[in-house]
Amino acid sequence: MRNMNNLPESRRTRRLIYVDASGIENNSVFKISLYDKENNLTSILELGEVENSSEAEQYAIFNAIFYIKKHNYFGCHILSDNQSAVNSKMIQFLAKEYKLGISWIPREANVIADKIAKLEPTLKETEWNLLKVFVELVKNQCHNKKELEREQEKEITALKAKIEKQKTKILNQSTQINSLRSIKEKVK
């Protein structure tokens, strides 16, 4: 783990990243926005192949995580006005994995990201393609971790069974030894 004191000042402070999603054309097209308060940076990305606003809100958070990792920022906290996206198991997995804060905020506190999401995209389609790859990799990582945990649980169960067998064997040997001692005492 890196020592925060060795980082430049801009990477030591708590960085707030606001995100939001917006549906246009009767929610047939979605856009996501990101507002990095420290840099006063905004970005808007139009999403293709997204079916609903909940999925778009999750992509807004994924985009923030991707942005944070791409720029190697530390001490970041992502703020979203969509509680189901914030509580998503995959989002929570990433927050823990990458040591990020992710919180729900009221819509009224997310005004800048909300307004930005309605503007014209500032990022190109290649950013959307990169984001999709990132999300696929994260999904695979999450599923691989679950599979690894299942395999480890099987190994632990097998080891516990082996230990129980060894305990039983030792107990039987102890009984036999005591029995032999008893016979030896009688023979004397």
Side-chain angles (χ1 to χ4, degrees), residues 17 19 32-34 45 47 54-70 78 80 85 88-95 98 100 102 127-128 130-139 142:
I17 310 285
V19 298
I32 57 174
S33 65
L34 177 145
L45 179 62
L47 307 178
S54 294
E55 187 180 4
E57 294 282 357
Q58 284 188 14
Y59 268 107
I61 296 173
F62 287 134
N63 186 50
I65 295 168
F66 185 61
Y67 168 81
I68 291 164
K69 297 308 292 174
K70 182 167 59 172
I78 300 169
S80 169
S88 154
K89 287 183 181 183
M90 182 108 36
I91 299 291
Q92 290 302 311
F93 167 79
L94 285 174
Y98 295 138
L100 301 169
I102 299 180
E127 288 294 319
W128 166 236
L130 286 171
L131 181 58
K132 287 190 296 186
V133 168
F134 173 73
V135 170
E136 281 303 312
L137 290 171
V138 165
K139 285 180 182 177
C142 188

Side-chain angles (χ1 to χ4, degrees), residues 8-125:
E9 179 66 30
S10 65
R11 293 194 179 180
R12 274 188 262 154
T13 58
R14 185 172 159 205
R15 179 182 297 270
L16 297 178
I17 310 285
Y18 294 83
V19 298
D20 201 12
S22 178
I24 56 173
E25 300 173 17
N26 293 326
N27 286 339
S28 63
V29 176
F30 292 93
K31 291 191 239 178
I32 57 174
S33 65
L34 177 145
Y35 172 57
D36 180 347
K37 187 175 181 180
E38 187 172 320
N39 286 340
N40 196 28
L41 176 129
T42 61
S43 67
I44 305 123
L45 179 62
E46 187 173 307
L47 307 178
E49 307 155 21
V50 171
E51 296 180 12
N52 57 55
S53 61
S54 294
E55 187 180 4
E57 294 282 357
Q58 284 188 14
Y59 268 107
I61 296 173
F62 287 134
N63 186 50
I65 295 168
F66 185 61
Y67 168 81
I68 291 164
K69 297 308 292 174
K70 182 167 59 172
H71 295 285
N72 203 27
Y73 290 137
F74 295 88
C76 296
H77 201 95
I78 300 169
L79 302 168
S80 169
D81 61 18
N82 187 286
Q83 196 154 21
S84 67
V86 168
N87 293 335
S88 154
K89 287 183 181 183
M90 182 108 36
I91 299 291
Q92 290 302 311
F93 167 79
L94 285 174
K96 185 177 177 184
E97 191 75 11
Y98 295 138
K99 297 171 182 60
L100 301 169
I102 299 180
S103 299
W104 171 83
I105 56 172
R107 189 172 306 280
E108 301 78 37
N110 204 19
V111 175
I112 295 174
D114 180 60
K115 299 265 187 242
I116 295 167
K118 293 171 176 59
L119 300 174
E120 286 300 311
T122 58
L123 300 174
K124 297 183 188 286
E125 185 179 354

